[in-house]
Amino acid sequence: MTTTCSAPGKIYLFGEHAVVYGEPAIACAVELRTRVIAKKSNEITISSDIGTTKLDFDMHPYVSSAIRKLGSPDVFIEITSEIPVGSGLGSSAAVTIATLSAINIEFGLGYEKEELAKMGHEIEKEVQGAASPTDTFVSTFGGVVEIPSRKRLNLLDCDVVIGNTNKGASPKKTAKLVQQVARLKEEHPDIINPIIKTIGSFAKQGELMVSQKNYTSLGKLMNVNHGLLDALGVSTMELSALVYAARNAGAYGAKLTGAGGGGCMVALSDSPREVAEAIEKAGGRAIITRATPEGVIQI
Ligand code: PMV
């Protein structure tokens, strides 16, 4: 028997960085997936684009940690992914959750999804030092979700266009940028604290707009959110160039997604090809995708 599971990546509509200080955020699973095949074997093997290894916490830290978390069964694991790595789209959460789920089914371990999400978050913390539960939660359950309440909102009906700067991709980037914002906050609390509070307030307003499917207003707020992330110092010239290109091509709104400092931006649009073309012209790699209600699934 073999078991194949896939788990989605995610974008933030609102609230990255502020969520670190307890403010609400809205994240959305997207139809870009990491697929993991698990097969009972007589040794542990992990095979991916990076290469083929045994348990290897340098080359395959998330998958090795997931195997160990489930008691180190002898398993052959093969990974393929559509999610750019270390670019703010939750690639590490997706591979972790898909691996946990595939091994869980292949070996009949009987864990519930809730438990897999919790293990996934623990693994992200072990590997990265710090991680919010957002990525692993959204990758497990899918949909548009308010954090930390976990309230599930309406699915987005419009297209989601992701623009990758192809710069600054690194799993360590998130920790560095979170520290950078923390320093700025310490230096200028009177100025930075209200910005963080304002970013938190987008989630409440955004929730209403998502439920009304009012993408014009939602997009405008995403634009304001991008401006405030820029004010926190986490945008880059390349990210903002892609954000402006997407807006000029008619997107409802566009902002960086995730930690920033490079990585990806996201735009909502009903004319995704025009927006994607503009992003490519501005030097980015565009991906047209959709929100997905589906978290980790067996395929
Ligand atoms: O770049 P990502 O997808 O890891 O997102 C980071 C989001 C932050 O709010 C900056 C940090 C966090 O753990 O929530």
Side-chain angles (χ1 to χ4, degrees):
M1 191 178 108
T2 61
T3 305
T4 306
C5 286
S6 84
K10 65 96 201 27
I11 54 156
Y12 274 99
L13 290 178
F14 301 107
E16 52 272 89
H17 285 287
V19 75
V20 173
Y21 301 98
E23 295 295 334
I26 300 180
C28 166
V30 290
E31 210 30 85
L32 290 175
R33 289 182 169 264
T34 297
R35 288 178 185 78
V36 171
I37 300 173
K39 184 176 170 47
K40 280 183 188 157
S41 175
N42 44 22
E43 58 181 354
I44 296 175
T45 311
I46 307 168
S47 171
S48 75
D49 277 356
I50 306 169
T52 300
T53 68
K54 303 194 177 305
L55 271 194
D56 185 325
F57 293 87
D58 287 324
M59 292 252 296
H60 289 123
Y62 296 98
V63 175
S64 297
S65 301
I67 296 171
R68 186 172 60 184
K69 198 88 172 169
L70 296 176
S72 304
D74 282 331
V75 64
F76 171 80
I77 294 283
E78 191 176 312
I79 303 145
T80 49
S81 186
E82 305 162 351
I83 310 173
V85 173
S87 306
L89 298 178
S91 62
S92 58
V95 76
T96 304
I97 295 299
T99 303
L100 288 169
S101 178
I103 295 174
N104 185 42
I105 296 169
E106 176 73 7
F107 289 84
L109 303 178
Y111 290 107
E112 299 290 335
K113 273 191 178 180
E114 192 69 46
E115 293 170 290
L116 297 179
K118 190 160 165 274
M119 284 183 207
H121 181 217
E122 283 164 11
I123 289 166
E124 285 222 307
K125 279 194 289 191
E126 281 160 27
V127 176
Q128 295 167 196
S132 82
T134 313
D135 288 18
T136 37
F137 184 82
V138 174
S139 194
T140 306
F141 293 103
V144 182
V145 185
E146 191 180 281
I147 305 291
S149 70
R150 298 180 165 201
K151 184 170 169 189
R152 219 176 154 90
L153 312 182
N154 273 351
L155 205 62
L156 300 178
D157 281 341
C158 59
D159 282 290
V160 174
V161 187
I162 289 165
N164 190 349
T165 60
N166 292 313
K167 290 233 166 105
S170 146
K172 298 210 171 81
K173 180 171 63 103
T174 301
K176 192 181 129 231
L177 284 148
V178 167
Q179 280 161 21
Q180 189 183 308
V181 172
R183 271 199 303 277
L184 190 65
K185 191 172 172 303
E186 264 167 42
E187 282 162 22
H188 301 288
D190 295 349
I191 293 165
I192 302 303
N193 287 340
I195 294 179
I196 287 171
K197 272 255 157 311
T198 304
I199 293 178
S201 69
F202 290 132
K204 266 272 137 313
Q205 303 259 333
E207 191 186 318
L208 196 71
M209 289 160 192
V210 170
S211 66
Q212 293 169 342
K213 299 185 185 287
N214 184 348
Y215 302 128
T216 306
S217 296
L218 192 68
K220 276 187 195 154
L221 280 194
M222 286 170 69
N223 292 345
V224 182
N225 194 162
H226 180 77
L228 294 180
L229 286 165
D230 197 8
L232 293 181
V234 298
S235 190
T236 62
M237 202 163 76
E238 290 85 0
L239 270 171
S240 286
L242 302 190
V243 162
Y244 280 101
R247 289 180 195 164
N248 290 341
Y252 290 119
K255 61 181 273 296
L256 70 85
T257 183
C264 291
M265 50 72 69
V266 61
L268 301 188
S269 178
D270 280 330
S271 45
R273 267 194 294 275
E274 282 87 334
V275 172
E277 235 167 65
I279 287 172
E280 298 262 345
K281 247 196 208 140
R285 163 100 36 97
I287 308 171
I288 299 173
T289 183
R290 304 278 294 181
T292 176
E294 227 141 32
V296 65
I297 46 170
Q298 186 179 5
I299 47 178

